[in-house]
Amino acid sequence: MGQRQPPFGRVLTAMVTPFSADGAVDLDLAARLAQHLVDHGSDGLVLCGTTGESPTLSWQEQHDLFDAVKTAVSGRATVLAGAGSNSTSEAIEAIGRAAEEGADGALVVVPYYNKPPQEGLEAHFRAIAQAAPRLPVMLYNIPGRTGCSLEPSTTARLLDLPNVVSYKAASGSTAEVSQLRLLCGDRLAIYSGDDALTLPMLAVGAVGVVSVASHLVGPQIQRMISAFLAGELATALSLHERLLPLCRALFSTTNPIPVKAALELEGWPVGSPRLPLVSADSDVRARLTTALAALRPT
């Protein structure tokens, strides 16, 4: 059984959405941050996902953000647009817009709150993918947020759609990746959706990561993946262990609260999350400060 080449790159950053002091989307800062990320290890950027606070962005804000970032990176990186919803018709509208705007792919999350059965999930994703048949789709399974999980057997049935090419695995289990590999083989490019599990998931067949930590340590994540692929397992393990405290700190409370605080600590004024999320408290900031300091050269 082979391993599919990563369709969007090895390290994709699930990019935060910067806000100005008045709460508006800061498009200039988003463009500068996107350029910085591409210069520091990101092969691709995922906009308007969980980390990008998609539930609190208007359609116009999402359009403006995509346009600013796509222009800023100028073909140097892939740009995926979040196009998920728990309303199939709304997701169809979103993926159509992503295709029209020139996205390199669409991230489509499992519907949240309404908890459809597997038959409903299959019909949902099938309708969305067929609405933009030339746009590559990354299925996104994150049951801790959605309340239900896309089963590997359902995913396998969706592979008769040629634009269903990848899968973000964020269930917190390498077993999910193993089962997907058994059923889908190299027809599906699986990305880790959990920074702390990137190396373990690579070991069972993932091709890369949709990362939050790459806002801060993109080059190190690239080196870890490159070392693993080159068979330099001791080096990969050492990098994994070195990055682990930061990965854990970044998920010590609800994402993207910690990563926004970490970016502020590193000099990027990305602003607080929009309500109902709040700014990081002093304990989270202290943990982030310690983790970041440990990664600086001595």
Side-chain angles (χ1 to χ4, degrees):
M1 185 182 294
Q3 185 185 62
R4 182 167 183 150
Q5 289 300 305
F8 307 112
R10 297 282 181 193
V11 177
L12 312 182
T13 297
M15 194 175 126
V16 302
T17 299
F19 298 125
S20 57
D22 64 1
V25 176
D26 190 332
L27 297 175
D28 289 338
L29 183 56
R32 294 199 304 275
L33 179 60
Q35 291 171 334
H36 171 81
L37 293 171
V38 174
D39 289 339
H40 293 82
S42 294
D43 301 314
L45 305 172
V46 181
L47 306 181
C48 305
T50 304
T51 309
E53 299 179 67
S54 59
T56 65
L57 297 177
S58 70
W59 288 125
Q60 188 61 50
E61 286 174 326
Q62 292 184 42
H63 166 79
D64 293 344
L65 181 64
F66 179 87
D67 187 58
V69 169
K70 185 76 171 175
T71 300
V73 300
S74 301
R76 296 191 299 132
T78 55
V79 181
L80 285 75
S85 174
N86 61 350
S87 163
T88 304
S89 61
E90 189 172 276
I92 287 172
E93 180 183 352
I95 200 170
R97 187 166 48 250
E100 290 172 2
E101 293 174 350
D104 297 298
L107 178 74
V108 185
V109 71
V110 166
Y112 37 88
Y113 186 73
N114 40 17
K115 298 180 71 173
Q118 294 302 305
E119 294 83 356
L121 291 176
E122 181 179 350
H124 173 81
F125 284 115
R126 191 171 292 279
I128 295 165
Q130 289 174 332
R134 296 185 179 180
L135 185 65
V137 170
M138 178 184 288
L139 306 176
Y140 179 17
N141 193 38
I142 182 165
R145 284 187 183 262
T146 62
C148 65
S149 184
L150 182 65
E151 293 181 1
S153 58
T154 307
T155 301
R157 290 195 296 273
L158 289 167
L159 293 185
D160 66 340
L161 299 166
N163 59 327
V164 174
V165 300
S166 64
Y167 184 101
K168 180 182 176 184
S171 70
S173 169
T174 58
E176 177 185 27
V177 178
S178 294
Q179 188 63 21
L180 284 166
R181 289 283 299 161
L182 286 172
L183 292 176
C184 304
D186 62 359
R187 295 179 296 159
L188 186 70
I190 304 165
Y191 286 84
S192 170
D194 184 333
D195 278 298
L197 290 178
T198 299
L199 183 60
M201 286 191 176
L202 288 171
V204 293
V207 302
V209 59
V210 180
S211 174
V212 175
S214 54
H215 282 92
L216 306 154
V217 288
Q220 295 94 316
I221 295 171
Q222 279 282 7
R223 287 200 296 272
M224 180 183 71
I225 293 174
S226 295
F228 173 82
L229 294 173
E232 299 168 2
L233 302 185
T235 298
L237 181 58
S238 176
L239 285 163
H240 165 76
E241 291 172 344
R242 182 169 168 78
L243 294 173
L244 200 54
L246 176 62
C247 294
R248 288 176 172 164
L250 288 171
F251 290 90
S252 56
T253 189
T254 305
N255 178 48
I257 292 172
V259 69
K260 282 200 148 183
L263 284 166
E264 294 271 357
L265 290 169
E266 294 293 288
W268 289 93
V270 294
S272 299
R274 284 178 172 172
L275 289 171
L277 300 182
V278 294
S279 298
D281 63 23
S282 59
D283 289 342
V284 171
R285 288 181 177 273
R287 187 169 177 179
L288 289 165
T289 299
T290 299
L292 289 166
L295 291 169
R296 295 191 181 99
T298 56

